[in-house]
Amino acid sequence: MHPSLFVAAFALPLALAAPAPYRLPGNSFRRQLNDTCNLANTQQPSSTLTPPGDNNQLVLIALGQGTQNYTCANETATPASIGAVADLFNASCAVAQKASLGSVAEDANAVGQHFFVDNTTPEFDIIGLGNTQLKKAEAVPAPNAAADVPWLKLDAANTNTAVRSIYRLNTSGGLAPSTCAGQAAGAVVQVAYEAQYWIYISPDAMAARRRRRSLGLPLN
Ligand SMILES: *[C@@H]1O[C@H](CO)[C@@H](O)[C@H](O)[C@H]1NC(C)=O
Ligand SMILES: *[C@@H]1O[C@H](CO)[C@@H](O)[C@H](O)[C@H]1NC(C)=O
Ligand SMILES: *[C@@H]1O[C@H](CO)[C@@H](O)[C@H](O)[C@H]1NC(C)=O
Ligand SMILES: *[C@@H]1O[C@H](CO)[C@@H](O)[C@H](O)[C@H]1NC(C)=O
Ligand SMILES: *[C@@H]1O[C@H](CO)[C@@H](O)[C@H](O)[C@H]1NC(C)=O
């Protein structure tokens, strides 16, 4: 749509006393929005993870880029996971459109951060969705399990936000080194990875939070 139509749509009611109702030509803009970024019809890549609950709604597909961190107690220990740190970029449209995710991170600011509050508790802080702590509910090997960290279903650890589940899918990299040989005692090993995080909310909880916020009430 030409930018001037936006201006017309919003400026007319202010400028004229009784403007003719502005109609989008054939509702084309609305249709275009649906067609380009419709997460409602966007299917998860297939896996044996339990699907999201019926009442949960996909609201964001984030591309995560960061590191999986491991520690080595000593040279003969097995590397132990101490969590991950990643920037989250909005890949909703790119995935809905089946476009390449290659430029998603370059073209935008991060919409959130992923990190761990302890060795087993992931947190996701996302603009508009708040800070959610989760727990690992299920894990399945990635299609290329020798190269990529497993796919996961994470469930919210509490109902402090509207987020209910986050799936880690289409992972790339991030596996621990097979041994600690050559590592100093206590060394942290950072292994680069990427993943898609598919984020599901409870629409009822989101609506309730919006109501509470509009009334100036505490959210929890
Ligand atoms: C298209 O979007 C509109 C408004 O966002 C919504 O009411 C409608 O149900 C959507 N249609 C489809 C087919 O997704
Ligand atoms: C994990 O690695 C990141 C770099 O990606 C670093 O900023 C972070 O401090 C590390 N966390 C721990 C617990 O070592
Ligand atoms: C190395 O670390 C592991 C895991 O903490 C421990 O079980 C083992 O006893 C340690 N070995 C040596 C030689 O210190
Ligand atoms: C992600 O992008 C979509 C489409 O541009 C937008 O509707 C949505 O609000 C964005 N989400 C976040 C968390 O920025
Ligand atoms: C995710 O990975 C699967 C293969 O496991 C691939 O078929 C699919 O196209 C990928 N989807 C996205 C959105 O990247």
Side-chain angles (χ1 to χ4, degrees), residues 30-31 33-35 38 40-41:
R30 191 158 280 191
R31 198 169 304 129
L33 264 182
N34 285 1
D35 290 349
N38 194 348
N41 296 330

PDB file of all heavy atoms in Angstrom, residues 30-31 33-35 38 40-41, ligand 1:
ATOM      1  N   ARG A  30      -5.594  -5.784   4.872  1.00  0.00           N
ATOM      2  CA  ARG A  30      -5.820  -6.792   5.906  1.00  0.00           C
ATOM      3  C   ARG A  30      -5.476  -8.187   5.363  1.00  0.00           C
ATOM      4  O   ARG A  30      -4.834  -8.981   6.019  1.00  0.00           O
ATOM      5  CB  ARG A  30      -7.296  -6.724   6.320  1.00  0.00           C
ATOM      6  CG  ARG A  30      -7.594  -7.516   7.530  1.00  0.00           C
ATOM      7  CD  ARG A  30      -8.851  -7.017   8.183  1.00  0.00           C
ATOM      8  NE  ARG A  30      -8.591  -5.836   8.979  1.00  0.00           N
ATOM      9  CZ  ARG A  30      -9.480  -5.328   9.824  1.00  0.00           C
ATOM     10  NH1 ARG A  30     -10.660  -5.846   9.939  1.00  0.00           N
ATOM     11  NH2 ARG A  30      -9.175  -4.278  10.536  1.00  0.00           N
ATOM     12  N   ARG A  31      -5.899  -8.431   4.124  1.00  0.00           N
ATOM     13  CA  ARG A  31      -5.626  -9.751   3.549  1.00  0.00           C
ATOM     14  C   ARG A  31      -4.120  -9.976   3.442  1.00  0.00           C
ATOM     15  O   ARG A  31      -3.597 -11.032   3.744  1.00  0.00           O
ATOM     16  CB  ARG A  31      -6.287  -9.862   2.171  1.00  0.00           C
ATOM     17  CG  ARG A  31      -6.446 -11.281   1.694  1.00  0.00           C
ATOM     18  CD  ARG A  31      -7.347 -11.365   0.461  1.00  0.00           C
ATOM     19  NE  ARG A  31      -8.654 -10.790   0.638  1.00  0.00           N
ATOM     20  CZ  ARG A  31      -9.200  -9.895  -0.189  1.00  0.00           C
ATOM     21  NH1 ARG A  31      -8.556  -9.479  -1.257  1.00  0.00           N
ATOM     22  NH2 ARG A  31     -10.398  -9.428   0.041  1.00  0.00           N
ATOM     23  N   LEU A  33      -1.739  -8.669   5.268  1.00  0.00           N
ATOM     24  CA  LEU A  33      -1.176  -8.953   6.587  1.00  0.00           C
ATOM     25  C   LEU A  33      -1.337 -10.431   6.922  1.00  0.00           C
ATOM     26  O   LEU A  33      -0.423 -11.092   7.371  1.00  0.00           O
ATOM     27  CB  LEU A  33      -1.930  -8.163   7.661  1.00  0.00           C
ATOM     28  CG  LEU A  33      -1.355  -6.840   8.104  1.00  0.00           C
ATOM     29  CD1 LEU A  33      -2.225  -6.257   9.190  1.00  0.00           C
ATOM     30  CD2 LEU A  33       0.067  -7.008   8.597  1.00  0.00           C
ATOM     31  N   ASN A  34      -2.557 -10.933   6.682  1.00  0.00           N
ATOM     32  CA  ASN A  34      -2.812 -12.341   6.984  1.00  0.00           C
ATOM     33  C   ASN A  34      -1.903 -13.238   6.175  1.00  0.00           C
ATOM     34  O   ASN A  34      -1.346 -14.183   6.702  1.00  0.00           O
ATOM     35  CB  ASN A  34      -4.254 -12.714   6.620  1.00  0.00           C
ATOM     36  CG  ASN A  34      -5.231 -12.167   7.641  1.00  0.00           C
ATOM     37  OD1 ASN A  34      -4.834 -11.511   8.585  1.00  0.00           O
ATOM     38  ND2 ASN A  34      -6.492 -12.451   7.431  1.00  0.00           N
ATOM     39  N   ASP A  35      -1.800 -12.908   4.893  1.00  0.00           N
ATOM     40  CA  ASP A  35      -1.064 -13.802   4.015  1.00  0.00           C
ATOM     41  C   ASP A  35       0.419 -13.800   4.340  1.00  0.00           C
ATOM     42  O   ASP A  35       1.088 -14.813   4.200  1.00  0.00           O
ATOM     43  CB  ASP A  35      -1.258 -13.394   2.551  1.00  0.00           C
ATOM     44  CG  ASP A  35      -2.673 -13.684   2.099  1.00  0.00           C
ATOM     45  OD1 ASP A  35      -3.372 -14.379   2.856  1.00  0.00           O
ATOM     46  OD2 ASP A  35      -3.064 -13.203   1.033  1.00  0.00           O
ATOM     47  N   ASN A  38       1.010 -14.873   8.909  1.00  0.00           N
ATOM     48  CA  ASN A  38      -0.055 -15.526   9.654  1.00  0.00           C
ATOM     49  C   ASN A  38       0.469 -16.709  10.473  1.00  0.00           C
ATOM     50  O   ASN A  38       0.549 -17.833   9.984  1.00  0.00           O
ATOM     51  CB  ASN A  38      -1.161 -15.976   8.697  1.00  0.00           C
ATOM     52  CG  ASN A  38      -2.402 -16.342   9.466  1.00  0.00           C
ATOM     53  OD1 ASN A  38      -2.358 -16.464  10.693  1.00  0.00           O
ATOM     54  ND2 ASN A  38      -3.495 -16.506   8.753  1.00  0.00           N
ATOM     55  N   ALA A  40      -1.121 -18.126  12.737  1.00  0.00           N
ATOM     56  CA  ALA A  40      -2.220 -19.052  13.047  1.00  0.00           C
ATOM     57  C   ALA A  40      -2.144 -20.305  12.180  1.00  0.00           C
ATOM     58  O   ALA A  40      -2.537 -21.384  12.611  1.00  0.00           O
ATOM     59  CB  ALA A  40      -3.562 -18.357  12.856  1.00  0.00           C
ATOM     60  N   ASN A  41      -1.639 -20.144  10.948  1.00  0.00           N
ATOM     61  CA  ASN A  41      -1.566 -21.301  10.050  1.00  0.00           C
ATOM     62  C   ASN A  41      -0.140 -21.818   9.888  1.00  0.00           C
ATOM     63  O   ASN A  41       0.151 -22.561   8.960  1.00  0.00           O
ATOM     64  CB  ASN A  41      -2.134 -20.930   8.685  1.00  0.00           C
ATOM     65  CG  ASN A  41      -3.601 -20.584   8.781  1.00  0.00           C
ATOM     66  OD1 ASN A  41      -4.309 -21.114   9.640  1.00  0.00           O
ATOM     67  ND2 ASN A  41      -4.055 -19.661   7.953  1.00  0.00           N
TER      68      ASN A  41
HETATM   69  C1  LIG B   1      -7.302 -11.943   8.836  1.00  0.00           C
HETATM   70  O1  LIG B   1      -7.038 -10.931   9.795  1.00  0.00           O
HETATM   71  C2  LIG B   1      -8.188 -10.410  10.387  1.00  0.00           C
HETATM   72  C3  LIG B   1      -7.786  -9.245  11.277  1.00  0.00           C
HETATM   73  O2  LIG B   1      -6.498  -9.359  11.739  1.00  0.00           O
HETATM   74  C4  LIG B   1      -8.920 -11.508  11.152  1.00  0.00           C
HETATM   75  O3  LIG B   1     -10.124 -10.984  11.712  1.00  0.00           O
HETATM   76  C5  LIG B   1      -9.265 -12.626  10.191  1.00  0.00           C
HETATM   77  O4  LIG B   1      -9.834 -13.691  10.913  1.00  0.00           O
HETATM   78  C6  LIG B   1      -8.016 -13.116   9.484  1.00  0.00           C
HETATM   79  N1  LIG B   1      -8.379 -14.120   8.501  1.00  0.00           N
HETATM   80  C7  LIG B   1      -7.674 -15.216   8.329  1.00  0.00           C
HETATM   81  C8  LIG B   1      -8.155 -16.136   7.257  1.00  0.00           C
HETATM   82  O5  LIG B   1      -6.690 -15.483   8.966  1.00  0.00           O
END
